[in-house]
Amino acid sequence: MPKVRLIDHNGDNHGVVETDEARRLAEQAGLDLVEVSPSADPPVCKILDYGKYKYEAQKKANLARKKQKTQDVKEIKMRPGIDSHDYETKMKAANKFLDAGDKVKFTLRFRGREMAHQDIGMNILKKVEEDLVDIAKTEARPKMEGRQMVMVVAPK
């Protein structure tokens, strides 16, 4: 006859007992016999109210899901001819996003003849990388995607 390690509704350990005996004790208590650790040898079973057990497990799962932080990707758009004040404003926003734990995607859009001066865009993104070196790590190096240059940084 298969045996299980039994824990009753008060948390007392009854040791290893026959499965039929465990079922009988659960029935006497008016509760359910629930296998809580099937991989153990012998399996661990508890005498408890299964509906209440399921409810508590669901509450724990919801609380864990509520507490976890999702990492968003915030985008900051620039142009090759960005002015120094505009650049500083964008960098303040980037710092705020990184402090909040979000990734930041810098997009530098080229229009018309600006495509001939991609080196200017590369220099701007290199400057961004240097300014953020102490609080962020570069996740995606600057690269061209059509008419825009893209770089992604993540908080350290």
Side-chain angles (χ1 to χ4, degrees), residues 38-74:
S39 57
D41 188 34
V44 179
C45 292
K46 270 187 176 177
I47 296 174
L48 47 83
D49 181 358
Y50 184 66
K52 188 175 177 184
Y53 174 74
K54 249 174 70 172
Y55 173 72
E56 293 294 330
Q58 182 68 40
K59 261 177 55 172
K60 271 187 196 168
N62 286 345
L63 191 64
R65 193 171 54 233
K66 192 189 295 183
K67 282 188 179 176
Q68 73 180 183
K69 166 94 171 84
T70 57
Q71 196 174 45
D72 297 329
V73 178
K74 304 288 188 175

Side-chain angles (χ1 to χ4, degrees), residues 75 130 136 155:
E75 186 174 18
E130 288 168 16

Side-chain angles (χ1 to χ4, degrees), residues 73-150:
V73 178
K74 304 288 188 175
E75 186 174 18
I76 292 182
K77 294 182 180 180
M78 299 180 181
R79 295 280 315 282
I82 190 168
D83 189 52
S84 61
H85 181 265
D86 295 339
Y87 174 82
E88 288 164 18
T89 305
K90 302 268 186 188
M91 292 311 290
K92 275 185 194 161
N95 280 323
K96 196 167 68 177
F97 293 147
L98 290 166
D99 287 341
D102 296 322
K103 293 181 181 182
V104 181
K105 177 181 179 182
F106 288 93
T107 305
L108 207 80
R109 173 165 267 141
F110 295 97
R111 286 159 62 189
R113 292 192 194 119
E114 291 172 349
M115 281 299 285
H117 303 289
Q118 292 178 15
D119 55 316
I120 296 171
M122 186 61 82
N123 291 341
I124 290 171
L125 290 181
K126 286 252 192 294
K127 187 174 188 300
V128 166
E129 201 172 355
E130 288 168 16
D131 291 348
L132 296 175
V133 75
D134 53 326
I135 62 165
K137 62 182 183 292
T138 307
E139 212 167 71
R141 310 273 317 145
K143 66 175 186 281
M144 286 300 293
E145 291 180 0
R147 289 194 149 273
Q148 54 192 23
M149 194 175 284
V150 178

Side-chain angles (χ1 to χ4, degrees), residues 22-32 47:
R23 279 199 195 110
R24 192 183 57 71
L25 287 170
E27 220 170 274
Q28 276 180 351
L31 297 169
D32 305 305
I47 296 174

